[in-house]
């Protein structure tokens, strides 16, 4: 049975679940349904598989590879870039190598990867990230806050995508696209399409027609960065000044755009919904910085925008008594690792506001080791701005919501909120 047919058959039951959720008061059951609903819109089989396998440290998947849920073992793998590589059959890096080139940061290992990260590091430092996001925002989020205060509606998904688009273009040193905010949304959709192709490549390999399509997307995504390259602005201008060629810079342009399509645009609406559905919106305390930080930490743990990280073993590896065969993939379940039951007193799905994140999983949603997300400070600044501004409203209600269609990670396609009275 195809996914589309299965989706049509399930739709009446999903609508019934949505109607039932409307009758539930704020709390875990309401929040749990809406989060599950996002997963069911992506893949009920993937959701069931992650949930059922999550209690086992390691799950053998035959010829597909090995699934790891144990956060201690998972972190050791992520920090061992010599034996567990980002590039190999069935990894994200395979399609990047073919469609983008070998110097796209996410598909690099060793000294070349370290040198490129070191060159880019100052642009992603916390102070530089805060300045970048503030400049790119240019009143966008404040206007949304004023609209809420006046009794209007705000679509948090659209708001997050535009903010991410503005930030990405500013980072590249690219000018405002034609159509303004609509242009940023168009760029987001291109990035989303390429992200989808990389995940499909993991599932069933790279196909020749898809490779041609991916290269076309790469060319379109790289255009804004070319202007930054020629003008010497942003990240790309820095690379040019350091002696990098345009092919390396173009690869990085595409990676920056791809990174911008995920964390904030997926996590921010889901965190807003989690707080509202749990009846915990007031915990933001009017946007107080400490309360916002607590919401970001608790929210990122539960939303885990990147659910699975893939690595490949060029040679047989035995780690902590677990054998990983050469040529097989290693699937690091960020979903499972951040919900490892023994770390949470048997309550891994709880919204643990104000409670410390166990050190075993701290920041794992951004990865670990040499490939820890370079843009994490920017993502955090965007989340601080969004939650800090929207959180000035003491009460918030979700008036309409829709799961994203045709995506490969759980996300809202729309989340419309209004100030509660």
């Amino acid at each position: 049975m195809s996914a589309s047919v299965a989706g049509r058959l399930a739709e009446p039951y999903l609508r019934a679940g949505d109607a039932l959720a409307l009758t539930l008061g704020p709390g875990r059951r309401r929040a749990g349904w809406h989060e599950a609903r996002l997963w069911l819109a992506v893949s009920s089989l993937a959701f069931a598989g992650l949930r059922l396998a999550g209690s086992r440290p390691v799950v053998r998947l035959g010829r597909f590879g090995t699934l790891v849920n144990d956060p201690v073992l998972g972190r050791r793998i992520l920090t061992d870039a010599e034996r567990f590589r980002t590039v190999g059959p069935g990894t994200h890096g395979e399609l990047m190598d073919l469609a983008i080139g070998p110097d796209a940061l996410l598909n690099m290992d060793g000294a070349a990867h370290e040198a490129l990260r070191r060159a880019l590091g100052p642009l992603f430092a916390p102070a530089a990230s805060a300045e970048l996001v503030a400049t790119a925002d240019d009143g966008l989020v404040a206007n949304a806050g004023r609209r809420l205060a006046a009794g209007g509606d705000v679509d948090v998904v659209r708001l997050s995508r535009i903010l991410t688009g503005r930030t990405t273009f500013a980072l590249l040193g690219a000018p405002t696209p034609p159509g303004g905010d609509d242009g940023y949304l168009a760029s987001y959709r291109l990035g989303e399409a390429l992200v989808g192709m990389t995940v499909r490549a993991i599932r069933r390999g790279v196909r020749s027609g898809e490779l041609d399509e991916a290269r076309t997307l790469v060319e379109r995504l790289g255009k804004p960065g070319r202007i930054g390259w020629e003008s010497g602005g942003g990240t790309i201008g820095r690379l040019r000044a350091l002696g990098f060629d345009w092919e390396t810079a173009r690869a990085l342009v595409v990676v920056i755009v791809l990174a911008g399509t995920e964390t904030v645009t997926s996590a921010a609406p889901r965190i807003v919904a989690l707080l509202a559905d749990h009846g915990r919106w007031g915990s933001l305390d009017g946007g107080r910085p400490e309360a916002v930080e607590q919401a970001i930490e608790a929210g990122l743990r539960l939303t885990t925008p990147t659910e699975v990280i893939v690595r490949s073993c060029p040679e047989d590896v035995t780690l902590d008594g677990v054998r990983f065969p050469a040529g097989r993939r290693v699937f690091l379940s960020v979903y499972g690792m951040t919900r490892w039951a023994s770390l949470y007193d048997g309550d891994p799905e709880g919204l643990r506001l104000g409670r410390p994140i166990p050190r075993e999983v701290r920041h794992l949603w951004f990865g670990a080791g040499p490939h820890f997300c370079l843009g994490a400070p920017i993502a955090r600044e965007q989340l601080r701005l969004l939650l800090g501004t929207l959180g000035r409203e003491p009460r918030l209600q979700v008036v309409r919501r829709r799961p994203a269609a045709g995506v490969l990670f759980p996300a809202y396609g729309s989340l419309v909120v209004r100030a509660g009275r």
Side-chain angles (χ1 to χ4, degrees):
M1 181 185 297
S2 70
S4 60
V5 172
R8 286 196 297 272
L9 292 175
E11 190 59 32
Y13 300 99
L14 295 176
R15 286 199 299 267
D18 291 339
L20 177 61
L22 290 174
T23 70
L24 299 174
R28 177 173 302 198
R29 288 192 298 168
R30 176 193 283 183
W33 165 255
H34 286 301
E35 274 290 296
R37 181 73 168 87
L38 297 181
W39 269 103
L40 294 171
V42 173
S43 171
S44 56
L45 289 177
F47 184 41
L50 287 173
R51 294 294 292 260
L52 291 172
S55 61
R56 298 167 58 186
V58 175
V59 181
R60 299 294 184 185
L61 302 175
R63 63 185 178 86
F64 294 104
T66 304
L67 178 72
V68 175
N69 292 301
D70 180 350
V72 175
L73 178 60
R75 190 180 290 275
R76 290 197 64 190
I77 291 170
L78 287 170
T79 55
D80 189 346
E82 287 295 319
R83 296 188 293 176
F84 297 92
R85 312 301 295 271
T86 61
V87 180
T91 64
H92 294 87
E94 181 182 23
L95 182 66
M96 287 187 178
D97 256 10
L98 294 171
I100 303 175
D103 300 316
L105 193 66
L106 297 182
N107 61 342
M108 298 170 67
D109 288 301
H113 173 260
E114 182 182 349
L116 184 53
R117 282 186 66 102
R118 189 164 54 246
L120 295 173
L123 292 167
F124 294 88
S129 298
E131 182 179 356
L132 174 75
V133 172
T135 301
D137 167 54
D138 193 27
L140 171 74
V141 180
N143 286 338
R146 284 192 287 270
R147 194 155 63 247
L148 281 179
D153 294 348
V154 169
D155 186 342
V156 183
V157 172
R158 178 181 170 84
L159 177 64
S160 301
R161 290 178 178 179
I162 293 173
L163 176 63
T164 297
R166 288 186 178 191
T167 303
T168 300
F169 273 57
L171 182 62
L172 296 175
T176 302
D181 287 343
D182 287 338
Y184 295 124
L185 293 172
S187 178
Y188 170 84
R189 287 189 290 271
L190 290 175
E192 188 177 43
L194 191 56
V195 168
M197 294 186 73
T198 64
V199 177
R200 284 192 292 273
I202 289 172
R203 292 177 178 173
R204 50 176 171 72
V206 179
R207 299 178 179 177
S208 59
E210 290 180 333
L211 182 56
D212 291 340
E213 183 183 349
R215 285 172 174 159
T216 299
L217 286 171
V218 166
E219 287 302 317
R220 294 176 66 186
L221 286 167
K223 283 184 179 178
R226 182 74 196 198
I227 299 172
W229 172 264
E230 292 174 351
S231 67
T235 304
I236 305 310
R238 178 175 176 81
L239 288 177
R240 183 175 182 175
L242 290 170
F244 288 88
D245 60 25
W246 165 242
E247 287 304 310
T248 299
R250 188 197 62 159
L252 191 65
V253 168
V254 176
V255 167
I256 288 173
V257 174
L258 292 183
T261 67
E262 290 199 40
T263 302
V264 175
T265 51
S266 171
R270 288 174 68 187
I271 293 173
V272 168
L274 278 171
L275 291 169
D277 291 336
H278 274 280
R280 301 296 303 278
W281 187 256
S283 68
L284 290 173
D285 195 18
R288 182 170 56 87
E290 293 84 356
V292 168
E293 290 297 322
Q294 291 172 2
I296 290 172
E297 289 296 302
L300 284 175
R301 184 187 74 83
L302 289 179
T303 59
T304 51
T306 300
E307 309 295 343
V308 177
I309 299 172
V310 186
R311 291 290 185 264
S312 179
C313 299
E315 300 176 354
D316 283 355
V317 177
T318 299
L319 188 62
D320 291 352
V322 180
R323 179 176 174 270
F324 297 95
R328 296 286 176 85
R329 290 173 294 181
V330 181
F331 298 93
L332 300 162
S333 173
V334 183
Y335 182 95
M337 290 189 289
T338 55
R339 288 168 169 78
W340 195 240
S342 64
L343 301 177
Y344 303 103
D345 303 320
D347 183 25
E349 296 293 341
L351 183 63
R352 299 164 62 89
L353 293 169
R355 301 179 67 178
I357 300 291
R359 60 179 177 82
E360 292 88 343
V361 301
R362 197 169 298 150
H363 308 311
L364 267 181
W365 37 89
F366 288 122
H371 285 276
F372 184 83
C373 178
L374 188 63
I378 293 177
R380 288 186 173 280
E381 282 300 324
Q382 292 173 311
L383 289 170
R384 288 179 186 123
L385 176 62
L386 287 162
L387 292 176
T389 302
L390 301 182
R392 292 171 189 163
E393 289 296 326
R395 289 177 293 278
L396 195 80
Q397 58 183 348
V398 178
V399 294
R400 289 189 305 280
R401 69 179 93 201
R402 172 176 53 81
V407 296
L408 294 151
F409 299 106
Y412 281 104
S414 177
L415 184 81
V416 180
V417 298
R418 184 183 302 158
R421 302 301 179 204

